[in-house]
Amino acid sequence: IVVVSPVNHFVFTPMLASAAVGTVEYRSMTEPIRVTNPNIDNFVEGRAIGVNVLEKTVQVQLTKLETATNAFTGMAANAGGRLDPDPVESMVVYGEDGSVLRDPSQGAGTVIDLSYDHLVCAVGTSSRLSLVKGAADYCFPLKTSQDSKRLRTAIGESLEYASRPDVQEYYYEDDEMQHQASEERRRRVHIAIVGGGPTGVELAGELMDFFQQVCGSPDGAYKHLRDDVSVTLIQSGTELVPAMDKELRARARQSLEEQGVRVIFNTRLQEVGQDYVVVKEKGSGAEETIPVGLTVWAAGNAPVPFVKELLSQLPPEATGSAGRVNVDDWLRCPTPTPETFGSILVLGDVACLNGRDKYKPEPEPLPQTAQVAGQQGSFAARLLNRGYEMDATPPRLPELSSGEAFSLLRTWLVARGLEEAQGFRFLSLGLLAYIGQEEALNQVMLGNVPLFNYSGKVAFALWRTVYLSKQASTRNQALIAFDWLRTEAFGRDITRL
């Protein structure tokens, strides 16, 4: 097994909002790839940038390790930040011999070719910042641990920026200047969140918890800003967390508004600037310019460049909705030749597989959630571990010759009637979302059967229990539990390192 990833760790993405305000630490919810699974033969820290489907090779741009390599030349202090990935070209240029061409002046790292028998594409998605003018330049996405770390630093800097003398009334004698200073101070600690799904709602709740602690009286470090901090949540639809039941959607809105979050519905983001956002109400077309200090993107997703390159090598029927890759019930994508069919499995956010729901007349693509990705990952691993012939439909166990050794696994599969692999079926277990003030929303299901809905303190206890159980290791569980206890006893750490 060879794993290719631009970072050397797995991260529990549902807790990125918690890490962005210091409720938990980054290292508590990350697990090194080399430690997670001892069966990984090799790990390559790099970014997949191209693929040759016919030759069964994938091109990988290795991550620069400047902090170490520059140390030998006395340049460690000037090494590039690990938060900033190397520039990645969106298109792969091939030479006459099929090799990948790169211009070293563009700053790309070394490119290598890796051959494969089966390629499992689980590259996820990126934030679709190109939808809105200025979003790519001024929005903070929340997709990776690096994004969460950037946002945490920015929030801390915003609080310090609003505490400077130049935005305090006592610094000026003129009434007009005092008013301008007050308005500018409020702008610097005004955070706008774009997107009212689970990520946006959880981040809003976590921010209000954070501000209540650090800006509260009598011992908050920024208690002088308690009347200035504010959060605005911008939602293009008419309700928050639309995937949940109506009563939970209403509870999410009620809870956030009671905490002081301004929630704007039925509104599209038109433009993002360094210190403002422009929103436009649907229907009336009324525009509003909102002064802000930070803008966080928790809305649409877009395919990563590697997916575009993969689709360029596949037949047209492989292109699914929103740039995703169409797959069949065994997560196989269409390929240009019968010989290569079954060699590529696509799963997670990038896979487009229609789910079956007896309550809906038309099949819909499965949601882009960690729950779907986790079940698809386990399913793909079972297919490969059991040795199914992936080019057959349905995949089946290979025929054994009389000279081949007895296989206990094969006997067990045959006894269970699994000579042919069953297709993937997503089993929804429900949805969870934190809404602040130690309250959460729980929609518990078993497939299409709703079991119960909870909101409030009981739901918060279940939310924490589930998130703790989903960690990659016992180590992570212990660290996160300790972080929660530390936060409860001593508050969140506001140190910027």
Side-chain angles (χ1 to χ4, degrees):
I1 301 174
V2 179
V3 176
V4 177
S5 173
V7 293
N8 73 338
H9 59 269
F10 295 114
V11 60
F12 187 65
T13 54
M15 296 195 76
L16 290 175
S18 297
V21 298
T23 306
V24 298
E25 295 297 329
Y26 317 107
R27 293 186 182 274
S28 299
M29 62 179 193
T30 57
E31 181 74 3
I33 292 176
R34 295 184 184 273
V35 174
T36 302
N37 191 334
N39 294 319
I40 295 176
D41 299 324
N42 194 9
F43 165 66
V44 178
E45 187 172 351
R47 194 179 299 268
I49 58 173
V51 62
N52 189 323
V53 175
L54 297 179
E55 298 295 330
K56 293 188 176 181
T57 59
V58 62
Q59 291 78 44
V60 178
Q61 175 184 303
L62 299 179
T63 300
K64 288 184 178 180
L65 304 176
E66 291 183 340
T67 304
T69 55
N70 285 351
F72 295 105
T73 58
M75 298 171 60
N78 299 319
R82 296 289 292 143
L83 296 180
D84 299 317
D86 293 336
V88 178
E89 299 175 13
S90 59
M91 297 297 294
V92 176
V93 180
Y94 294 96
E96 294 182 358
D97 60 351
S99 61
V100 180
L101 302 182
R102 278 289 178 275
D103 181 1
S105 66
Q106 296 184 4
T110 303
V111 176
I112 62 172
D113 287 344
L114 297 176
S115 60
Y116 64 85
D117 297 314
H118 291 96
L119 175 65
V120 179
C121 178
V123 294
T125 56
S126 60
S127 297
R128 200 173 184 180
L129 299 174
S130 60
L131 287 174
V132 178
K133 178 182 177 181
D137 296 323
Y138 301 112
C139 277
F140 287 83
L142 196 56
K143 299 284 288 184
T144 67
S145 56
Q146 290 92 336
D147 292 338
S148 182
K149 189 173 184 179
R150 280 195 195 97
L151 180 56
R152 182 174 177 179
T153 300
I155 293 170
E157 290 182 352
S158 294
L159 291 169
E160 205 59 47
Y161 192 34
S163 300
R164 289 182 172 179
D166 63 319
V167 288
Q168 311 304 322
E169 286 89 340
Y170 65 77
Y171 196 72
Y172 305 95
E173 296 182 357
D174 181 75
D175 291 343
E176 180 63 25
M177 293 299 295
Q178 289 180 354
H179 175 72
Q180 292 181 12
S182 176
E183 292 298 312
E184 172 63 12
R185 185 175 68 248
R186 291 189 177 93
R187 182 200 65 79
R188 292 181 181 183
V189 284
H190 183 189
I191 300 178
I193 304 172
V194 183
T199 301
V201 167
E202 290 198 349
L203 179 60
E206 291 280 4
L207 281 170
M208 297 311 294
D209 286 351
F210 174 73
F211 287 144
Q212 183 182 38
Q213 174 211 319
V214 302
C215 300
S217 296
D219 56 355
Y222 295 95
K223 54 181 177 291
H224 54 283
L225 297 175
R226 61 182 177 274
D227 297 326
D228 300 318
V229 292
S230 59
V231 175
T232 297
L233 182 58
I234 303 169
Q235 168 68 328
S236 62
T238 58
E239 294 178 298
L240 298 178
V241 282
M244 288 188 166
D245 289 343
K246 186 175 182 179
E247 60 183 280
L248 296 179
R249 299 196 295 264
R251 178 56 186 158
R253 175 178 183 174
Q254 177 187 358
S255 177
L256 291 181
E257 290 181 339
E258 287 176 350
Q259 296 173 62
V261 178
R262 181 192 177 193
V263 185
I264 306 176
F265 291 103
N266 204 35
T267 301
R268 288 193 181 279
L269 185 67
Q270 297 293 107
E271 183 182 351
V272 181
Q274 184 174 3
D275 55 4
Y276 68 90
V277 295
V278 179
V279 296
K280 183 176 182 180
E281 185 178 2
K282 295 179 181 178
S284 68
E287 288 193 356
E288 179 185 1
T289 300
I290 305 174
V292 298
L294 297 175
T295 305
V296 183
W297 184 273
N301 297 321
V304 299
F306 176 75
V307 176
K308 299 177 182 178
E309 171 62 19
L310 175 62
L311 287 172
S312 71
Q313 302 256 328
L314 302 179
E317 60 267 24
T319 303
S321 62
R324 298 159 73 181
V325 182
N326 283 328
V327 296
D328 63 10
D329 287 347
W330 297 273
L331 306 181
R332 303 172 299 184
C333 65
T335 54
T337 64
E339 292 77 19
T340 56
F341 182 66
S343 62
I344 302 177
L345 303 182
V346 183
L347 55 92
D349 290 355
V350 70
C352 186
L353 173 63
N354 288 333
R356 292 172 173 81
D357 190 339
K358 64 180 180 180
Y359 300 105
K360 296 180 180 179
E362 296 294 333
E364 297 179 353
L366 293 175
Q368 294 172 291
T369 63
Q371 189 177 161
V372 173
Q375 293 185 24
Q376 288 180 340
S378 298
F379 176 81
R382 287 195 298 270
L383 289 178
L384 298 177
N385 285 337
R386 293 172 179 177
Y388 286 110
E389 293 180 333
M390 295 302 296
D391 56 347
T393 302
R396 61 177 63 90
L397 295 174
E399 296 293 335
L400 295 181
S401 64
S402 57
E404 292 188 82
F406 169 78
S407 170
L408 183 60
L409 173 61
R410 181 184 179 89
T411 303
W412 178 75
L413 292 173
V414 171
R416 295 184 59 200
L418 295 177
E419 297 97 331
E420 295 182 349
Q422 299 177 349
F424 175 77
R425 294 293 180 268
F426 172 57
L427 180 66
S428 176
L429 301 177
L431 300 169
L432 306 173
Y434 180 64
I435 54 176
Q437 300 295 301
E438 296 188 347
E439 293 187 359
L441 307 175
N442 291 343
Q443 180 175 309
V444 181
M445 307 171 62
L446 187 61
N448 295 324
V449 180
L451 298 181
F452 56 84
N453 292 341
Y454 277 136
S455 64
K457 302 293 185 181
V458 174
F460 172 69
L462 180 59
W463 175 81
R464 279 200 163 178
T465 301
V466 171
Y467 274 29
L468 200 62
S469 67
K470 292 293 184 180
Q471 297 307 308
S473 67
T474 305
R475 164 190 170 274
N476 290 90
Q477 292 174 338
L479 290 174
I480 287 178
F482 177 78
D483 285 344
W484 284 336
L485 290 173
R486 171 189 51 79
T487 299
E488 192 70 27
F490 306 109
R492 295 164 179 81
D493 186 5
I494 58 173
T495 306
R496 300 196 316 278
L497 298 176

